[in-house]
Amino acid sequence: MHRDKKISPVYSLLISAAAAAVFFLFPALAAAAGGDEQIMKLGDIKTGMTGVGRTVVSGSLIEEFDVEVLGVLKNNKLDDALQISGSSVLVKVSGEVIIKSGGIAAGMSGSPVYIDGKLAGAVSSGWIMTDHTIGLMTPIEEMLGLFKYIKPADKKKIDVNGLIDRDAMLFIEKSPAAGNYRGVITRSGPPDGETLRYAARNGLMVFQNAAAPVVVAGLNERNYGRLKNMMKKRGHDISLVSSPQTVRDDSGDFEIPDLRPGHAIALQLVRGDINVTAIGTLTYLKENKFLAFAHSFMKKGDCSFFFAPANIYHCFFSHEMPFKIGTPGKLTGSVLVDRNEGIAGLIGLSPKVATVRAAVVDLDNGVKREFCTQLVRDRTMFSELLQAVLTQAVDEGINRQGAGFARASYKMTGRSEKSGEFVIERRNYHYDLYDIASVAIDEILGVANAVALNQFEKADIYDIDVTFEISEQSPCAKVS
């Protein structure tokens, strides 16, 4: 989190958009997108075909690598007759770019693959702890189906029963280079011992989605640890890692005017003085519609996440899976769909966010610090993200942890489906001998959670203003 940082112009623009509860357009970026892409159907992809993939391993330069098709797989249950729709393609990658990246790296998910000049699909997974040049490709024909889920806000919710974990994919054709394996299993994170044993018994290769870990920047050790534990407890299937302090944060400064398939992109849950970011690759862009990742992020179905280009600093080798390190740039749109085949969204549309501004006054030292962060308005994790943001603001604002007295004044603005716009404004006083930061925000979290999880009327908070005035002195009195 940056000290004494005022709201930047880009955040001011987003704040005004969020307050008006409308989407807005980025004309230059929307105009830059376009062009028809020739598509190769899954039925035309055959073992032995060769093509090229496109990705970024440093900065924003798109580079090409060679791709060979080793086999075509179909989703299947091994133990019963249930078949889940969906296919995948086993590929081998090579070339100078792959040498530099150390193989298929986390962050390459979504890298487009072209065969005979046609877009055939996108890299989705890599073979963990084995041959990093072998991976899976999601057919573009299946990824294009994600666009049907982008719909007007007033349309009825779709059935999400289709968001089922894929059990196994079995070969319907393969090259001798694929060996004696019957098929593959894919996992969003490192597989456990039981999965590896199951794969060994059934002659399956184990692949991990080539998604970079979700990087958290701007939180101290304790708040990062709390957020990681809470997200895991809530069942959110994402891998959080803390950003190395040596990596600079250029969030909001970097942009790619001519965004194209192969460029690195960032999906964000939190943006501003704190950033929670996943990096992948852009697969497809037509007019203002885009596809990326080639696998799900959190399998949310309908969603509203930040979308931005990413600047890649370096690609690191790892025996488990190589990975990219980078940071997000200027906001360019929204991720609206998060499903098995990847993520989809629109360039030029603002996501639904809540802007959180916190002013922390250290009364003992006469210091005031201000912080600004934006959170996605996801009901299932809003409280957890807000807790991390506010606790970090207090920790950093008073530059210590421990005892204290706090006067907390806050104002929440939002809108409900039936009652329209609402304002909640309160002031309260708190004292704690051990952790004033956690105690001072407790009431705010309770109110925000009650609104977000209201079962009787859907309501969203889009603006939170908080002022904490904190002293280490105790206001307690003794009555005798």
Side-chain angles (χ1 to χ4, degrees), residues 85 129 161-162 172 196 251 253 279 319 357 476:
S85 64
M129 296 181 289
N161 292 327
I172 58 175
L196 294 173
S251 180
D253 298 330
I279 289 177
H319 288 290
R357 289 176 291 270
C476 298

Side-chain angles (χ1 to χ4, degrees), residues 64-86:
E64 293 190 345
F65 55 92
D66 297 322
V67 180
E68 179 186 356
V69 175
L70 297 183
V72 180
L73 304 112
K74 182 75 176 178
N75 285 314
N76 262 299
K77 287 281 186 182
L78 294 180
D79 300 324
D80 54 48
L82 175 64
Q83 289 196 355
I84 305 170
S85 64

Side-chain angles (χ1 to χ4, degrees), residues 70-80 83 88 90 127 136 167-185 197-207:
L70 297 183
V72 180
L73 304 112
K74 182 75 176 178
N75 285 314
N76 262 299
K77 287 281 186 182
L78 294 180
D79 300 324
D80 54 48
Q83 289 196 355
S88 198
L90 187 71
W127 196 2
L136 295 177
D167 184 358
M169 290 179 283
L170 303 183
F171 284 108
I172 58 175
E173 65 167 270
K174 66 176 180 178
S175 159
N180 295 321
Y181 290 101
R182 296 175 58 205
V184 306
I185 292 178
R197 288 190 292 273
Y198 176 80
R201 288 195 305 270
N202 290 281
L204 302 172
M205 308 163 81
V206 181
F207 288 78

Side-chain angles (χ1 to χ4, degrees), residues 295-367:
H295 58 71
S296 64
F297 171 58
M298 297 177 72
K299 208 170 288 188
K300 280 286 184 181
D302 297 336
C303 61
S304 184
F305 299 148
F306 296 100
F307 179 81
N311 188 36
I312 303 301
Y313 293 138
H314 192 65
C315 198
F316 293 89
F317 177 77
S318 166
H319 288 290
E320 184 175 290
M321 176 178 280
F323 60 95
K324 297 180 182 181
I325 287 289
T327 55
K330 289 185 177 180
L331 179 65
T332 60
S334 302
V335 176
L336 302 176
V337 179
D338 173 21
R339 295 178 180 270
N340 277 330
E341 297 79 13
I343 61 172
L346 299 175
I347 300 290
L349 252 58
S350 166
K352 297 176 182 178
V353 301
T355 300
V356 181
R357 289 176 291 270
V360 182
V361 181
D362 183 347
L363 297 173
D364 299 318
N365 297 293
V367 176

